[in-house]
Amino acid sequence: NAELKDAKKNLPKALIIGTLAVMTIYIIYYIGLAGGISNAEMMAGGEAGARIAFSSVFGNFAGTALFLFVVISCLGTLNGLMMGAARGMYAIAERGVGPKPEMFSAVDKHTNMTSNSSVWGLLVSSAWCLYFYGANLTEGWFGLFNFDSSELPIVTIYAMYIPMFIAWMKKEKELGTFKRFVLPSLSIVCCVFMVFAAVYAHGITPYKAAAAEGRFSCPVLFYLIVFAVVILIGYFFSASYRNNKKNKR
């Protein structure tokens, strides 16, 4: 939000209006799917279910056109993720934090691009893509450490929102009751629901299914182990930065 004009005013507007618009579109979208095809046919069709549903209502051309719009939407999301990955290390290094901040904070004079940060983002994205393929699109290359790397990290962000909302309610004393308590409380309820749904889908359900076959499986547990390792690495660099800052004083 540092690159937005009047971020304090415009960012909340963008988040609220954007969320409501996306939510409305998705509700209408799924209502349309439910009216055009049965749940069994949708599940059997996989990613082509949307095209089949709209083809049955509007014909083959409209169904194919809708599928094209879905692909364009996914490419838009991919573009946003690519921009975030390219600037991720730069955003950290610019504050003097993380590994080699003097290297990752560099901006190319000719292209005005964060080249070093972009290369790092490419390497991390490639490794994560390789993991996703091995863990989710094959029989599983990583044993107990096979988990859904597309969904669980997003749910982790929801879990991180909870202490942020609690801090908001404690510190934003100048706000009214609705903005200070009601909205954050509703947000916490939604975050807790998302976390519960993820634990149930990626923890309890596979655990029960594996136990019935005499084996052990709990993807969410092993995801949390990987997450904890990444956090510890980040803490190491953060502690190193704080120590260096104290020594300079």
Side-chain angles (χ1 to χ4, degrees):
N1 62 5
E3 298 177 5
L4 290 176
K5 294 181 179 179
D6 195 3
K8 191 171 183 180
K9 178 182 178 181
N10 292 326
L11 184 60
K13 284 185 178 179
L15 291 174
I16 293 171
I17 295 173
T19 300
L20 291 175
V22 172
M23 181 178 66
T24 302
I25 291 170
Y26 264 89
I27 289 174
I28 296 173
Y29 172 76
Y30 281 108
I31 290 175
L33 292 184
I37 192 173
S38 67
N39 290 336
E41 291 175 309
M42 177 67 69
M43 295 297 291
E47 69 277 0
R51 182 180 60 79
I52 297 172
F54 278 84
S55 295
S56 66
V57 177
F58 300 108
N60 290 330
F61 177 79
T64 303
L66 174 71
F67 200 67
L68 177 63
F69 291 141
V70 171
V71 172
I72 294 173
S73 175
C74 292
L75 291 175
T77 303
L78 179 62
N79 183 52
L81 290 172
M82 181 178 66
M83 293 176 64
R87 297 178 64 86
M89 285 300 292
Y90 169 79
I92 297 173
E94 193 181 36
R95 295 164 173 81
V97 186
K100 299 289 183 181
E102 67 283 353
M103 180 179 73
F104 287 112
S105 62
V107 178
D108 190 279
K109 295 180 180 179
H110 301 288
T111 62
N112 201 33
M113 286 288 295
T114 55
S115 302
N116 295 334
S117 178
S118 299
V119 171
W120 174 259
L122 175 62
L123 293 174
V124 173
S125 298
S126 299
W128 204 238
C129 184
L130 178 64
Y131 173 84
F132 178 83
Y133 177 81
N136 299 280
L137 301 181
T138 66
E139 295 181 357
W141 294 352
F142 307 101
L144 292 174
F145 283 89
N146 288 311
F147 54 78
D148 188 344
S149 57
S150 64
E151 183 173 327
L152 288 174
I154 297 174
V155 176
T156 307
I157 298 175
Y158 283 102
M160 291 173 147
Y161 285 154
I162 295 174
M164 294 170 61
F165 289 131
I166 294 174
W168 176 277
M169 289 189 284
K170 288 182 177 180
K171 296 180 179 180
E172 299 296 328
K173 297 180 180 179
E174 73 279 2
L175 297 177
T177 302
F178 185 73
K179 288 186 177 180
R180 184 182 176 188
F181 294 108
V182 176
L183 289 180
S185 298
L186 292 174
S187 300
I188 290 173
V189 171
C190 293
C191 290
V192 170
F193 171 77
M194 291 298 296
V195 172
F196 169 77
V199 171
Y200 188 85
H202 299 279
I204 297 174
T205 299
Y207 172 79
K208 289 182 176 179
E213 300 175 0
R215 55 188 182 86
F216 178 78
S217 177
C218 189
V220 70
L221 172 63
F222 293 94
Y223 162 73
L224 290 174
I225 293 174
V226 174
F227 177 77
V229 170
V230 174
I231 292 296
L232 287 173
I233 294 173
Y235 177 79
F236 167 77
F237 284 108
S238 178
S240 177
Y241 166 75
R242 289 195 299 268
N243 292 333
N244 291 335
K245 196 172 183 180
K246 288 180 181 179
N247 293 334
K248 289 180 179 179
R249 291 177 180 176

